[in-house]
């Protein structure tokens, strides 16, 4: 008995040391990126097992590609393009993913009294930022009548969508990337990953804490230029930024960019940049666009009314503002 116990102990020690040795050798960061959803999608994760890590990255990129094919309004073969063609004529039964995203989008439309409105596309479809083209005044006046989230009838039980205005068009560009990032994180979690960063353009979500690769955001000193009052570590959060400098051109001295004010059908001058932090990327994405359109005062009021949501706003004059909870955290 004594002899066997001794042998067992040696075996245990040996196998433990092998385990630690191999994990120290192989546990590492894996990363990949791909152009999807009109931007750069990147995945960075920590995994003990390289096969698990690399498979998880493939699964994430496949999923984002699937969502891109489904939700890209410019691709005539997409489900979203089909909705835009048919939902003004009759109810269209669609995918659970589109139902989920549209439902959340309508939630933010109601919350912002229409500052966030996926039917901005009724006018938005006539802008071509790369070519520097904007619709003329009469075109805007005419198609602006079709910007109306209340005319979007979504039935979540039957998964059907219907537009009460035949000319209404939708575009999920202000929310779909956040949704895709959340899907990516769910996939990673199911694969057992506990530390990762997924980004789709300006929408990022951090899973776990990132150890040596940790990300922080700095709260600028209000009086001393280039100085930060505090650096807040980002862990287990999503952060999205909407800016007027991403997709724009200058026409007659006016900055024409990709965030439209549904009231005017023109680019919103409410802010220069808005970053929003929240647990889920679908919310930070929608809220950064929403806050941008609402502008400083109404935008801050909305963010401050939501618990667990923070914002950093650079107003139209370039001045920095923080939401209340963020200011508390920096004390
Ligand atoms: P980005 O797409 O550059 O990450 P945003 O998250 O701010 O930036 O989203 C901007 C996108 O949101 C636009 O390209 C457009 O597809 C969509 N969008 C523009 N204006 C609105 C609006 N008022 N409501 C909802 N979506 C909008
Ligand atoms: Mg957004």
């Amino acid at each position: 008995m004594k002899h066997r116990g001794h042998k067992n102990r040696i075996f245990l020690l040996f196998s433990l040391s092998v385990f630690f040795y191999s994990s120290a050798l192989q546990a590492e960061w894996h990363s990949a990126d791909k152009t999807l959803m009109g931007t750069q999608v990147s995945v960075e994760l920590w995994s003990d097992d390289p096969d698990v890590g690399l498979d998880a990255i493939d699964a994430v990129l496949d999923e984002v590609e699937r969502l891109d094919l489904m939700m890209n309004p410019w691709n005539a073969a997409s489900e979203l393009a089909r909705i835009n063609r048919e939902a003004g004529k009759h109810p269209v039964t669609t995918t659970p993913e589109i139902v989920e995203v549209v439902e959340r989008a309508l939630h933010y439309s109601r919350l912002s009294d229409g500052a966030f409105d996926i039917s901005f596309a009724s006018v938005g479809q006539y802008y071509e930022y790369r070519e520097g083209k904007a619709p003329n005044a009469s075109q805007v006046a005419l198609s602006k009548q079709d910007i109306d989230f209340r005319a979007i009838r979504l039935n979540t039980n039957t998964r059907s969508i219907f537009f009460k205005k035949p000319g209404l068009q939708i575009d999920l560009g202000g929310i779909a990337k956040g949704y895709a990032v959340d899907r990516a994180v769910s996939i990673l979690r199911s694969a057992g990953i506990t530390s990762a960063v997924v980004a789709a353009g300006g929408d990022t979500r951090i899973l776990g804490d990132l150890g040596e690769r940790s990300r922080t955001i700095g709260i600028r000193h209000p009086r001393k230029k280039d100085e930060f009052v505090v650096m807040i570590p980002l862990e287990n959060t999503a952060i999205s930024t909407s800016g007027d400098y991403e997709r724009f051109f200058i026409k007659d001295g006016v900055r024409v960019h990709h965030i439209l004010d549904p009231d005017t059908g023109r680019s919103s001058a409410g802010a220069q940049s808005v970053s929003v932090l929240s647990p889920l990327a679908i919310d930070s994405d929608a809220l950064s666009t929403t806050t941008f359109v609402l502008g400083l005062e109404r935008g801050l009021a909305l963010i401050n009314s939501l618990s667990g949501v923070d914002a950093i706003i650079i107003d139209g004059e370039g001045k920095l503002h923080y939401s209340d909870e963020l200011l508390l955290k920096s004390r």
Side-chain angles (χ1 to χ4, degrees), residues 107-316:
H107 166 74
Y108 284 113
S109 296
R110 288 189 292 268
L111 212 59
S112 65
D113 200 20
F116 188 84
D117 191 334
I118 54 176
S119 68
F120 81 92
S122 310
V123 176
Q125 62 180 328
Y126 300 113
Y127 285 85
E128 287 175 56
Y129 299 96
R130 245 167 278 165
E131 277 95 76
K133 277 192 202 149
N136 64 33
S138 59
Q139 213 168 359
V140 169
L142 189 69
S143 44
K144 200 163 68 85
Q145 298 167 22
D146 291 322
I147 303 182
D148 180 6
F149 70 91
R150 290 180 183 89
I152 301 171
R153 292 298 154 94
L154 181 74
N155 186 325
T156 53
N157 294 321
T158 58
R159 287 198 343 226
S160 83
I161 186 165
F162 175 61
F163 301 155
K164 275 183 64 188
K165 295 186 173 179
L168 191 151
Q169 297 282 289
I170 61 172
D171 184 329
L172 304 176
I175 189 168
K177 288 195 293 291
Y179 175 74
V181 165
D182 287 336
R183 289 291 292 237
V185 168
S186 300
I187 288 173
L188 296 180
R189 288 170 90 156
S190 324
I193 305 295
T194 54
S195 201
V197 195
V198 180
D203 304 295
T204 303
R205 188 163 153 200
I206 294 167
L207 173 64
D209 77 84
L210 302 174
E212 82 233 11
R213 297 203 171 188
S214 71
R215 309 284 207 273
T216 54
I217 52 165
I219 303 294
R220 237 178 239 285
H221 193 289
R223 295 288 175 271
K224 298 180 193 156
K225 210 172 171 274
D226 302 327
E227 244 184 66
F228 291 91
V229 181
V230 72
M231 303 296 286
I232 300 177
L234 295 178
E235 43 188 64
N236 267 324
T237 189
I239 178 163
S240 295
T241 299
S242 294
D244 66 6
Y245 47 84
E246 290 168 71
R247 224 166 275 177
F248 77 97
F249 58 92
I250 307 280
K251 195 184 176 195
D252 305 330
V254 176
R255 181 181 285 259
V256 181
H257 64 86
H258 69 321
I259 301 172
L260 297 190
D261 183 341
D263 280 344
T264 62
R266 295 294 186 193
S267 302
S268 170
Q272 291 178 4
S273 162
V274 175
S275 297
V276 171
L277 292 124
S278 68
L280 297 180
I282 192 171
D283 298 315
S284 59
D285 188 4
L287 279 170
S288 67
T289 310
T290 306
T291 307
F292 193 105
V293 175
L294 285 175
L296 180 65
E297 225 165 285
R298 292 172 66 208
L300 264 188
L302 172 64
I303 296 294
N304 286 332
S305 75
L306 303 170
S307 75
V309 179
D310 296 318
I312 301 164
I313 301 175
I314 303 179
D315 69 19

Side-chain angles (χ1 to χ4, degrees), residues 5-78:
H6 180 66
K7 248 176 89 180
N8 274 352
R9 202 162 67 212
I10 288 173
F11 176 71
L12 196 75
L13 278 174
F14 178 71
S15 61
L16 266 180
S17 65
V18 166
F19 175 74
F20 281 128
Y21 176 68
S22 62
S23 73
L25 192 73
Q26 294 176 335
E28 57 184 333
W29 286 96
H30 300 280
S31 62
D33 48 68
K34 194 168 178 179
T35 302
L36 289 167
M37 304 188 104
T39 188
Q40 202 67 2
V41 173
S42 67
V43 191
E44 219 177 307
L45 59 82
W46 174 265
S47 174
D48 293 337
D49 182 337
D51 288 340
V52 170
L54 296 173
D55 284 354
I57 286 177
D58 283 348
V60 161
L61 293 177
D62 284 354
E63 174 66 357
V64 178
E65 186 161 7
R66 190 180 72 90
L67 294 172
D68 186 9
L69 289 172
M70 188 189 295
M71 298 183 187
N72 179 355
W74 303 103
N75 170 5
S78 76

